[in-house]
Each structure stands twice: as structure tokens, then as C-alpha cells.
Amino acid sequence: MKFSVLSLIGHALHPLTGELPTAADRFEEVIETGAAAERLGFDAYSIGERHAGPFLSSSPSVVLGAMAARTRTIRLLTGVTVVAILDPVRVAEDFATLDQLSRGRIELVVGKGAEAGHFDLFGLDEDRQWDLQKEKYELLRRLWTEEGVDWEGEFRPPLKNVTTVPRPYAGPPRVWHGSATSLHSPELAAKHGDPLFTANAVQPREAYARLIGHYRERFEAYGHDPADAHVAAGSGGLLIAGTPRAAVARYKELYEARVRQSFKPHLAGRAGYNTPFRTIEDAIENGPQLIGSPQQIIDKILGYHAVYRHDLQSITVDGFGLEHAEQLETLQRFAEEIAPVVRREAPSSLWE
């Protein structure tokens, strides 16, 4: 298995102390974490995209540009690029530029986004989100694979003989499709033979297994080799302690305060927005959150792998309010105590 570190660049008050770092300090922490992830042998680092709420990730291409300048080998991903609200020409240009700057290390995870409100922000109809997603992704795909593109669609002006510049570094970057609650993204990924990136962050395992099962079935139905159906899975956050009991004692108050802080009453009942795992004990036992001793976390990842057969596991260390030094310590423990075992037990040919 391969491993990626994700940051949505959260910028919320600390759930226990009420402290709030400056925006500049948060960006510096994110860049330092990416550099540390490379030193520790992680395969990829991802920056999300949010345009509402307590986040600073509205411009992931800018942050990834800074990351490209600080690193040399680690792959740089988005998580996700909200292509449904963006102009595909601008996306093609920005990320091809990043692909050149990083010498071919860019991969996109595209999706319609997990935050309510960004369609209104960009003057778009949320009821058309899947039509927007499909049309804009398919145009992006053409812009990266063709030159002299002629195109007409519903959501932007026509194009005539357009070749976006720069061209990608060594062919089109890999594009994953982010999937959290709907079959639309797995269907679009399967149609084009692209990999699937399941959120695996809020809902019970069965919800994500359904999306992955649909993807694999449709991938083969579209005539693609099933061996190429790569899958990635997120997680609801990472907290490591020496023993199961120590994990509960150390993180219970922090975890449950963050859950209360992030609960969105107006979205209650809508899949993908509020975690049903309100206590740390429930999260450890039943949720996708990676909380506990190293062996507990190994067992959980391998348990998900038995169902998902995923190639890439994404983790996040900055979602609960850990101090930055403890975030880096958590990354190091994962890299030294957990990743080697999972790599051995669940090998993957992704990126090889």
C-alpha cells in the first residue's frame, strides 16, 4: 500500500483552548508538514479545496506551488479540486504549470466538493452539480489530451482551436475521482478508466464499500482491465498512543470537543457532513478514524483493505487540534511503526 498525507488547511478555533493561529502560521505549518512527509517516506501529499467555513484552502494550486519548491520526490495531489465550480481552461493551465514546476509530480483528485454553499458563491445552480461536474471534467480531459480543441457545452462559452499552455510535463497527469456519497463520481471514473478516491471519512464502512463496488463493476463493464481499477481511501483523522487505553485517555476530550465544534445542525441527516461517531470509543470501534495504538491502526487499515482492496491510504494529522510538533511526531510514528507493516501485508503496484 502507498500512503498520502492530506490537509484541508483547517483554521478553526482550538476546540479546547479557543486559540487561533494566524493564517500565515497555518500555511507555514502545512508546508513544513509536506516537507516532513517527504523525508519520512510518504508517497504523496494532498491539499484540499474549500471555499466556505473555517478553512484556508481556497487556492490549493498556490499552496502546492510552494510545496513543489520545498520538495523533490513526493507526489503532490489535490483533495479535491472542485472542478464543478471552476473553469476547466483555468484548471488545465494552473495544474499543467504545477506539473512542469514539479517535473511531473502533480495528480488531481476531482470532485463536486463537500461544503454546502460554494455553488451559490460562484453563481451556479447546486441542483445541476452533477451535470456541471461531468461536463467540466470531460472538457478538462480533452484539454490535456488534445491540441486544437473545438468544443461546445452548456456551462461555458464555446472553444475554437484551443491549445492550453503549458502542456503537462510528460503527458496528462493522473486524475482521480473523489467519491463520498453518490454513485455519480464512481460512474464517471469507471467510464473513463480513471482511479477512484473514496472519502472514507464520515460514514460507516458499508456506505463506501457500496460506492467502490459500483465502481469496480462499472469499470469492467466499460471494457477496462480490472487490474487498472485503482482505489484510494481517506480516513477521519489520525491519533496514535502507546496503548488503546492511553489513546482514549489522551484524546477523548479533544476528539469529542472537535466533533461538537464541527457539527452542522442545518445539515443533520445529509450523508457526508456530520460524523455519526460522536464518542471516541465509537469512533475507534466502528468509524474510519485511525485512533489507538499502532497495532489497532494497522488492524483497522488492513480491515478496510480486505473490503476496499485499496492501493492508497490517505491520513490527516491536523484535523483535531494537535500542536504542530505533535503532528510531526504522529507522522513519524506512523511512518516507522505502521506503514512498513501495512506495506508488507497489502502490497500495491500503484506508482511503480
Side-chain angles (χ1 to χ4, degrees), residues 186-195 211-231 309:
E187 183 72 22
L188 190 61
K191 175 183 177 181
H192 292 288
D194 296 329
L211 301 177
I212 295 170
H214 178 84
Y215 165 70
R216 292 191 187 279
E217 178 183 327
R218 297 298 293 156
F219 192 94
E220 188 170 3
Y222 278 114
H224 305 298
D225 184 347
D228 295 330
H230 292 298
V231 171
R309 292 182 285 138

